[in-house]
Amino acid sequence: MSQIVKVEDLKLRFYTYEGIVKALEGVHVFVKEGETLGIVGETGCGKTTTGLSIFKIVLPPGKIENGKVLFKTRKGKVINILDLSERVLSWIRGRDISMIFQEPSSSLNPVFKVGDQISEVFLQHRRKELIKKVLDDIEKDIKNAGDSFKERIYKAEKGIYERMLRNPDARLPAFLAKIPLVNRFKRRLEKKIREAVKELLADLEISDPDRVFDMYPHELSGGMQQRIVIAMALACNPLLLIADEPTTSLDVTIQAQVLDLMRKLKGKYGSTIMLITHDLGVIAEMAERVAVMYAGNVVEVADVREIFKRPLHPYTKGLIESIPMAGKEFKTIPGTVPDLINPPVGCRFHPRCPFATPKCKEVSPTIREVKKDHYVSCHLFG
């Protein structure tokens, strides 16, 4: 199975008034085609920042200082996302890589109907595909035209759409769309987009997609809002879907529905998923491989069964032991997450690690494969 994205030695800093936050310190992780990779760790460990770095949308005062994000395109070409211009990235974001953000209500514009917000994705990335469908319909109308006047009208519409197909930014269609008597051509494209959005909403098991298309975000429940956000992310059938805490703000019943929906959609659309969460239960249910992060580092990567049965890194062991279980004493990891402005020297986990050695306090470990497909960043295995 080939890798669709590979992050190599990623270092990211936030330049704040209090100091330089060393948010990511040499992150190494990869995602295989067709799999679901879970990214798990405590709040502030760098899970979301890693996901945003794959998009190259880290905003100031954040700055990527080093590293590569190698991405395999639809044509099989491997490119470094961090080397691309904003113009090229605008085509990749949404079409090849999409993201479901943590809070659905903050991802939706409250003053636009949800259907219009999903339509924007289609217009940005699938306009040519939809225009071709419109031209097919016009060809049928020309053949079935009952008189020469209708035929001339249809041919005029065809000419406008052909110009749009050659040059999506052409000024003539935009100008004609503002003239009430001739803007009827615009309705053909709007109809096609509406049909595509309704089809997508139906795939998301939303009842009455036609009604939901014309609703505003505040008229929808949290679970419905999350489905709309998922619809926007899946509108272009992306190669990689990054889901950042997609069920955090939902109750357990809706959580189960959303996770089940994501599993079905992955099977239908064939997308690869990077699932960011702090919930080990979600990881156990959804992921095939797991990357455990701590304080800006990936400390362990392995198959999900291997992680739960035979965790190697002391932090991973602590996470799993802290899962509440009936009849067992509740355990916690001693200490607190370090301040990333002044992180510990050496291994960042050593102040909380019961197995720390003098080497751990001086030398930062590198991640290495200690068993087949099982990677650990710890001096105990070096």
Side-chain angles (χ1 to χ4, degrees), residues 51-322:
L52 292 173
S53 297
I54 292 174
F55 273 84
K56 197 184 174 183
I57 54 174
V58 178
L59 300 177
K63 185 179 179 182
I64 296 173
E65 299 281 359
N66 188 48
K68 295 180 180 179
V69 178
L70 304 176
F71 178 70
K72 185 179 178 182
T73 65
R74 295 180 190 272
K75 296 181 179 180
K77 183 181 178 182
V78 177
I79 57 174
N80 183 6
I81 295 288
L82 303 184
D83 288 341
L84 302 179
S85 65
E86 281 298 315
R87 183 174 176 275
V88 176
L89 284 169
S90 67
W91 284 101
I92 291 176
R93 296 170 185 153
R95 186 188 64 176
D96 293 333
I97 309 174
S98 289
M99 190 164 188
I100 302 170
F101 294 94
Q102 286 189 30
E103 190 63 44
S105 58
S106 64
S107 302
L108 297 171
N109 193 319
V111 301
F112 290 102
K113 295 175 182 178
V114 295
D116 292 333
Q117 296 186 55
I118 302 172
S119 298
E120 187 177 354
V121 182
F122 281 91
L123 283 169
Q124 175 68 19
H125 297 293
R126 294 178 61 182
R127 184 193 294 257
K128 288 188 176 181
E129 173 192 335
L130 293 167
I131 290 175
K132 287 178 182 178
K133 289 183 178 180
V134 170
L135 285 169
D136 290 340
D137 289 346
I138 294 175
E139 285 289 354
K140 293 177 184 177
D141 289 340
I142 291 173
K143 289 179 182 179
N144 298 327
D147 56 66
S148 58
F149 177 74
K150 283 186 177 180
E151 187 176 338
R152 287 199 299 271
I153 293 293
Y154 294 144
K155 286 183 176 179
E157 286 185 284
K158 181 183 177 183
I160 294 171
Y161 278 108
E162 285 176 341
R163 180 171 292 200
M164 290 173 66
L165 191 60
R166 291 193 301 271
N167 180 13
D169 299 321
R171 295 183 180 181
L172 180 60
F175 173 73
L176 293 176
K178 297 178 181 179
I179 303 175
L181 295 177
V182 296
N183 74 350
R184 65 185 296 270
F185 81 90
K186 187 178 70 169
R187 291 196 289 272
R188 285 188 183 267
L189 183 58
E190 291 175 345
K191 183 180 178 182
K192 281 295 175 189
I193 293 173
R194 189 180 183 95
E195 288 174 358
V197 172
K198 284 166 59 179
E199 184 180 343
L200 183 58
L201 294 178
D203 286 344
L204 288 159
E205 300 177 358
I206 293 176
S207 58
D208 199 358
D210 202 40
R211 181 178 62 87
V212 173
F213 185 102
D214 293 313
M215 295 177 74
Y216 290 91
H218 71 272
E219 298 179 284
L220 303 174
S221 65
M224 286 286 280
Q225 288 181 356
Q226 189 62 283
R227 289 170 191 248
I228 298 300
V229 172
I230 293 172
M232 294 172 68
L234 291 173
C236 296
N237 189 13
L239 297 173
L240 176 65
L241 176 64
I242 301 174
D244 185 9
E245 306 270 13
T247 60
T248 297
S249 59
L250 307 176
D251 62 67
V252 290
T253 305
I254 304 301
Q255 277 187 26
Q257 291 177 5
V258 170
L259 292 176
D260 185 54
L261 179 63
M262 287 179 62
R263 194 183 296 108
K264 289 178 181 176
L265 292 171
K266 179 192 172 187
K268 178 171 182 177
Y269 290 94
S271 294
T272 303
I273 297 177
M274 177 186 281
L275 179 62
I276 298 170
T277 181
H278 61 270
D279 191 333
L280 286 170
V282 172
I283 289 293
E285 183 179 349
M286 294 290 293
E288 290 144 42
R289 285 194 312 124
V290 187
V292 182
M293 291 192 69
Y294 179 79
N297 289 301
V298 174
V299 296
E300 187 165 2
V301 183
D303 178 83
V304 66
R305 291 180 180 272
E306 182 76 6
I307 284 286
F308 279 94
K309 287 185 177 181
R310 287 173 289 274
L312 298 180
H313 196 280
Y315 175 65
T316 310
K317 291 180 180 179
L319 275 184
I320 294 172
E321 288 175 354
S322 66

